[in-house]
Amino acid sequence: MALQEEGDDYTKDGTVHLRGNPVRRSQRGRWKACSFVIVYEIFERMAYYGISSNLVIFMTTKLHQGTVQSSNNVTNWVGTSWLTPILGAYVADAHLGRYITFVISSAICFLWDPKEKIQKNSFFNWWMFSIFFGTLFANTILVYVQDNVGWGWGYGLPTLGLAISISVFLLGTPFYRHKLPTGTPFLTMARVIVASFCKAKAPTPCDPTHFHELSSLEYERKGTFPIQTTQSLRFLDRASLKTGTTGYWNLCTTTEVEETKQMLNMLPTLCITFVPSAMIAQTNTLFVKQGTTLNARIVGNFSIPPASLSAFGTVSFLVSIVIYDRVLVKITRKLTGNPRGITLLQRMGIGLIFYIISMTVASFTERYRLKVAAEHGLIHQTGVKLPLTIFVLLPQFVLMGMADAFLVVAKLEFFYDQAPESMKSLGTSYSLTSLGIGNFLSSFLLSTVSKITVKRGRGWILNNLNESRLDYYYLFFALLNFVNFALFLVVVKFYVYRADVVTHSVDVKEQESKVMGINEDE
């Protein structure tokens, strides 16, 4: 009996010791290991946001760049930093493994300035909580140091924070579970696509014995599991069809085909996240620029730095995360039977609605700011603070924080959970890639709208914000988010979750259709 319990304690998902030995669930992983990752993330995000939050002010005051140029330089820098995880995912999955890749990438960054299913669901919420906790410190203390002490100290402290984060992560090494590299997912996906096109004219039989698959013992030896054939993207099934040719680019296993399907099925959802990611970019650019025109004095000679307004969005995010994880999930879990309370796409949909509301509120707030500027004859004045408190911008920051609490966390968990086991790193990179592309999209929209509106008589985004029409620009974003939400409803209607992710016999399609207002019989 004791031997049986000891055997059951070993992980069965392919995770091993750093040296390749089997590991026990009771000794490694779980919250003991997660705690090191969470603390790491606090200091790492403090370092990152300590630079990015106030970068638009640095570009403006020290480099003397205009509104469009400074905003685009920030979003281009942020976009590039979020796209690098694609390279990291390739290296982690194909060559070095996630742990070694993580350590090396952190070092480079420093030099260059099912029994556990519910616990894992909660981990994503608290992981994001740690991110925004570090962000809160950056948006308050570090931003104040940058504005009032100096940029040398303001950027030196984030470097120290990054060094601490790396040390904390390394201290947790004895408690981590490690995934062995299983090959590059890009190559697997390319093989499946090429093989399916090579056999495009071949008939597809119903007999499963006509399709190539490894034995279950072979998968068990690798610590993985075979995946059964699904009905989506059926044309890719030909990649595993036995036609007599067994070349590397001519024949794949059914599991490889299904893994490719899962990654391709997530692409429409990935595209839906580009627009809200562009909205997030506004908090560190145009929202901050608005704050520079307003009265930031709180008491005496103490003034709140414009970039510190992001702290209110961070607090809103943190409060929303705690309420969602500790209250809403428990209530909805009883109603739906879903361990997450509501499905991941439903949570993302709620976030999209908050983005629409946030940009609408931002538009009306900016219109009021312009009205005050006109009433006091300050339309053509630069460098003069309006007789309007900076806290008038508070609602749009708070709403953005609430939107992030729903969409950003759900997006990360969705791409991780829906990715096949051998492509988890690539799945996670989907989430970060959406932020990268969203920032580049923000740069493109800002430049394009600025050029078009200037040619038509009055620019919407000028160096003097009192002469600009940011209210129109924000309203344009609200409409863009509304169109994006409509496309999201289409994605929800046709998306099918991975079978092993849906638990407790929850009819996800029916539940999502009810919440999103979609009729299954349409």
Side-chain angles (χ1 to χ4, degrees), residues 466-486:
N466 295 337
E467 296 178 344
S468 305
R469 292 309 303 258
L470 281 182
D471 55 331
Y472 291 166
Y473 188 60
Y474 290 156
L475 185 59
F476 162 72
F477 268 151
L479 294 175
L480 185 62
N481 273 281
F482 180 81
V483 173
N484 188 65
F485 179 72

Side-chain angles (χ1 to χ4, degrees), residues 502-518:
V502 181
T503 57
H504 298 285
S505 302
V506 177
D507 189 343
V508 176
K509 292 294 293 180
E510 180 180 348
Q511 184 183 347
E512 281 186 345
S513 299
K514 184 183 299 181
V515 172
M516 296 301 178
I518 301 174

Side-chain angles (χ1 to χ4, degrees), residues 43 49 73 90 111 120 185 187 251 267 284 309 353 431 464 494:
F43 286 98
Y49 285 104
N73 282 337
Y90 165 74
L111 293 174
K120 184 182 71 174
L187 183 59
L251 186 63
L267 289 181
N284 289 335
L309 286 176
I353 294 175
S431 175
N464 182 359
F494 292 101

Side-chain angles (χ1 to χ4, degrees), residues 235-424:
F235 66 92
L236 292 177
D237 290 345
R238 292 184 175 87
S240 62
L241 182 62
K242 300 176 184 177
T243 59
T245 304
T246 58
Y248 186 74
W249 291 92
N250 296 100
L251 186 63
C252 304
T253 65
T254 298
T255 295
E256 290 173 328
V257 171
E258 293 303 318
E259 289 174 340
T260 301
K261 287 182 181 181
Q262 290 169 9
M263 297 307 298
L264 294 179
N265 280 333
M266 291 192 293
L267 289 181
T269 305
L270 174 63
C271 293
I272 291 296
T273 64
F274 294 159
V275 171
S277 294
M279 302 305 102
I280 297 174
Q282 309 314 306
T283 59
N284 289 335
T285 53
L286 294 181
F287 283 12
V288 176
K289 294 287 288 185
Q290 283 179 282
T292 62
T293 69
L294 301 173
N295 179 16
R297 183 167 297 177
I298 299 179
V299 61
N301 293 325
F302 180 77
S303 298
I304 179 174
S308 290
L309 286 176
S310 298
F312 293 98
T314 303
V315 171
S316 172
F317 179 94
L318 296 177
V319 172
S320 298
I321 283 290
V322 173
I323 293 176
Y324 180 85
D325 189 68
R326 296 304 180 188
V327 179
L328 295 181
V329 169
K330 292 182 179 179
I331 295 175
T332 54
R333 184 184 294 163
K334 294 178 180 179
L335 298 176
T336 65
N338 189 326
R340 290 189 177 92
I342 58 177
T343 66
L344 295 175
L345 288 178
Q346 288 172 359
R347 185 173 179 178
M348 291 173 64
I350 295 173
L352 291 175
I353 294 175
F354 272 112
Y355 283 117
I356 297 174
I357 298 173
S358 175
M359 298 314 296
T360 303
V361 170
S363 177
F364 283 107
T365 301
E366 175 61 12
R367 181 165 296 186
Y368 177 67
R369 191 191 69 84
L370 292 176
K371 179 183 177 182
V372 173
E375 290 175 348
H376 291 81
L378 298 176
I379 290 292
H380 304 293
Q381 299 293 322
T382 58
V384 179
K385 301 288 185 180
L386 300 183
L388 183 64
T389 176
I390 196 173
F391 291 107
V392 72
L393 301 177
L394 196 59
Q396 62 200 58
F397 278 96
V398 171
L399 286 169
M400 287 293 286
M402 295 173 66
D404 291 345
F406 281 93
L407 186 134
V408 175
V409 180
K411 176 180 64 175
L412 175 65
E413 188 175 353
F414 175 83
F415 290 128
Y416 180 85
D417 266 14
Q418 295 298 295
E421 291 299 324
S422 64
M423 300 182 181
K424 290 296 187 186

Side-chain angles (χ1 to χ4, degrees), residues 29 71 74 117 164 187 189 204 210 230 232 245 336 389 406 428:
S71 298
V74 171
K117 178 70 68 175
I164 295 175
L187 183 59
M189 295 171 67
T204 305
H210 288 82
T230 60
S232 65
T245 304
T336 65
T389 176
F406 281 93
T428 303

Side-chain angles (χ1 to χ4, degrees), residues 12 35 42 105 139 477:
K12 298 178 176 61
S35 61
I42 291 175
S105 60
N139 291 337
F477 268 151

